[in-house]
Amino acid sequence: MTIDLAELLGTQEHACLEFKRQATDRNAIREAICALANDLADCGGGDLIIGVAKDGTPVEGVDVSDAALLTFTSIPDEGRILPKPSLVIEAAVFQGR
């Protein structure tokens, strides 16, 4: 059975959930990771979902190839966040897509 992240996490952004339509702006991705790593809402971190619009609807054409996913693995090493945030990077289903 495939878990749909929308059912698990919701479809509205909040302190522990952020959506990005695409991953073309690497600085925006870094900022989101940093904000979620700060854990100001005390929720144990958070989730950044790429391929979802701010209104919570999935967008078409998101590259989920292994090569695309691997580009995110170096992000914790690019900044000065200490301790370095841990990331789980995976392709997932969101609202059936």
Side-chain angles (χ1 to χ4, degrees), residues 23-93:
T24 54
D25 184 351
R26 198 158 173 92
N27 282 330
I29 300 300
R30 286 186 197 110
E31 288 173 5
I33 290 170
C34 183
L36 293 167
N38 282 328
D39 196 18
L40 297 176
D42 197 27
C43 56
D47 296 282
L48 169 62
I49 302 177
I50 298 169
V52 178
K54 291 290 183 191
D55 66 0
T57 58
V59 298
E60 297 292 330
V62 178
D63 183 2
V64 294
S65 66
D66 287 344
L69 297 178
L70 280 172
T71 64
F72 297 107
T73 60
S74 65
I75 288 177
D77 297 324
E78 295 173 1
R80 293 182 228 169
I81 302 171
L82 293 174
K84 291 181 183 177
S86 62
L87 303 178
V88 174
I89 302 164
E90 64 184 333
V93 175

